[in-house]
Amino acid sequence: MAGGTGMKEVIEAIKANIGRVLVGKEEVTDLLLSAILAGGHVLLEDVPGTGKTMLAKSLAKSMELSFSRVQFTPDLLPSDITGLNYYNQKAGEFIFRGGPVFTNLLLADEINRATPRTQSSLLECMEEHQVTIDGETKKLEEPFFVIATQNPIETAGTYPLPEAQLDRFLMQIPMGLPDAVEERQILERFGKENPYDSLTAVCGREALLNLMKEAEAVYVHPHLMDYLVELVLATRKHSEVEGGVSPRGSLAFYRAARAYALVKGRDYVVPEDIKALAVPVLAHRLVLARTLTGRSTGRQIIEQLLNTVFVPTEEWNT
């Protein structure tokens, strides 16, 4: 294990802490934590009430990160997110008041309810970890992550995220509904009190930054890099895809694979890591052909490619 058992214990502690609040979301937690360790942003997608907001809050509290939540609405302005310069009459000068983006973890709740102009105010923050206001650039504190949520079913009063913004999310993760056993556990767990209230941090900001460095040291066999590249290239050649995965997407795929391996307790990537990440990392980046009838979804296309692209067989830790 890269970094020794200490790093492994920290990761397991974070996962266990979140598991005290969320029921049956182990794989979702692994994906979210992998995205964080890879330095990426996440789009959580599902119907209301599936635990999207609670997952983001539990993650921030577990790692002692500063946290801000913005409820996106049609009347939300870019300055409501990034901040603005206002004139202080007493001081006789303009003073900058930072918006909620000046935090470690920003929860953009129902991001598709804001106008494209407001959505675009996050582009610079997400890509360059900075904001530019009135010609002055201000850096954001590291680490900085955006976890956005959206409801894929309700479309009234929503503005679909443009491809350029979707591409800046490392992963798009569906939460999924619980089964009967999990539903019963939710009732028992939340019937008397909210377990989030008693949640305590299991690591700090510096420990998270160290984990991110450890993820960068995870080994990827050259044949697995070829496999990853072949999957990306296949998206650009698919008959139902107008725009395949970009180099930004392939780099995100590579970073996510290393972080996912670390979360799973290894210091090397295996083919199963790449397969597990292909849909959440690649599917939302595809620009599908609009002229075809009965066309496949991005998820279906990626799943199809996973069944057709050759998987190499080697020893991956050497």
Side-chain angles (χ1 to χ4, degrees):
M1 167 84 189
T5 57
M7 291 295 180
K8 183 177 181 179
E9 290 170 354
V10 171
I11 291 174
E12 291 302 319
I14 295 172
K15 292 162 63 173
N17 216 37
I18 295 174
R20 290 174 53 196
V21 180
L22 278 294
V23 175
K25 301 300 180 186
E26 290 80 9
E27 184 57 24
V28 171
T29 299
D30 284 354
L31 290 172
L32 179 60
L33 188 53
S34 299
I36 295 299
L37 297 188
H41 312 289
V42 175
L43 180 61
L44 293 177
E45 186 175 64
D46 224 311
V47 296
T50 51
K52 299 185 294 294
T53 300
M54 185 61 68
L55 176 58
K57 291 171 61 179
S58 299
L59 180 71
K61 197 170 184 180
S62 296
M63 296 188 288
E64 213 169 19
L65 299 176
S66 58
F67 176 82
S68 294
R69 178 177 181 266
V70 178
Q71 181 66 47
F72 277 59
T73 56
D75 60 347
L76 193 72
L77 299 175
S79 59
D80 293 329
I81 300 172
T82 60
L84 76 166
N85 290 311
Y86 71 97
Y87 187 72
N88 187 310
Q89 291 186 332
K90 185 176 181 179
E93 61 182 2
F94 282 94
I95 297 176
F96 175 71
R97 180 170 61 202
V101 76
F102 287 87
T103 187
N104 293 134
L105 197 156
L106 174 68
L107 176 61
D109 224 347
E110 294 187 296
I111 189 173
N112 56 336
R113 291 202 173 278
T115 63
R117 179 188 175 203
T118 301
Q119 290 178 13
S120 66
S121 66
L122 283 175
L123 290 177
E124 184 183 13
C125 307
M126 295 171 70
E127 185 69 18
E128 302 173 49
H129 292 198
Q130 65 183 34
V131 294
T132 302
I133 301 172
D134 295 336
E136 184 179 355
T137 299
K138 300 181 183 295
K139 298 294 291 184
L140 300 177
E141 182 185 13
E142 297 293 346
F144 171 73
F145 311 103
V146 173
I147 296 180
T149 73
Q150 69 174 3
N151 178 359
I153 297 177
E154 186 179 355
T155 58
T158 62
Y159 303 85
L161 297 180
E163 285 81 3
Q165 182 147 10
L166 279 173
D167 197 44
R168 281 165 171 80
F169 286 102
L170 184 90
M171 297 186 198
Q172 180 174 332
I173 307 173
M175 290 292 292
L177 291 169
D179 59 25
V181 174
E182 293 168 346
E183 194 88 32
R184 174 67 180 270
Q185 291 176 349
I186 291 172
L187 297 180
E188 293 174 347
R189 184 173 297 185
F190 287 84
K192 295 181 179 179
E193 59 183 20
N194 190 337
Y196 172 81
D197 296 335
S198 60
L199 212 61
T200 57
V202 296
C203 77
R205 175 175 164 272
E206 291 302 320
L208 174 58
L209 292 173
N210 289 334
L211 283 173
M212 294 171 69
K213 291 179 181 178
E214 289 295 325
E216 294 176 353
V218 170
Y219 176 70
V220 184
H221 193 284
H223 289 177
L224 281 185
M225 293 184 69
D226 292 338
Y227 176 50
L228 186 151
V229 169
E230 284 300 316
L231 283 171
V232 169
L233 294 180
T235 67
R236 302 174 190 172
K237 303 172 185 176
H238 198 281
S239 59
E240 295 185 69
V241 177
E242 286 185 359
V245 176
S246 68
R248 179 196 284 134
S250 61
L251 185 57
F253 199 8
Y254 178 64
R255 289 172 175 163
R258 293 185 299 182
Y260 188 77
L262 188 68
V263 169
K264 291 296 186 179
R266 283 178 275 102
D267 60 0
Y268 59 93
V269 173
V270 297
E272 287 70 26
D273 298 332
I274 294 175
K275 292 179 181 180
L277 292 169
V279 170
V281 174
L282 302 181
H284 66 285
R285 302 175 191 273
L286 303 183
V287 180
L288 305 181
R290 294 173 173 81
T291 56
L292 299 175
T293 57
R295 62 181 183 270
S296 303
T297 64
R299 168 180 285 272
Q300 290 170 334
I301 289 173
I302 297 300
E303 289 175 344
Q304 179 189 81
L305 294 178
L306 286 173
N307 292 326
T308 57
V309 175
F310 172 70
V311 183
T313 54
E314 294 281 349
E315 291 293 329
W316 307 115
N317 58 344
T318 58

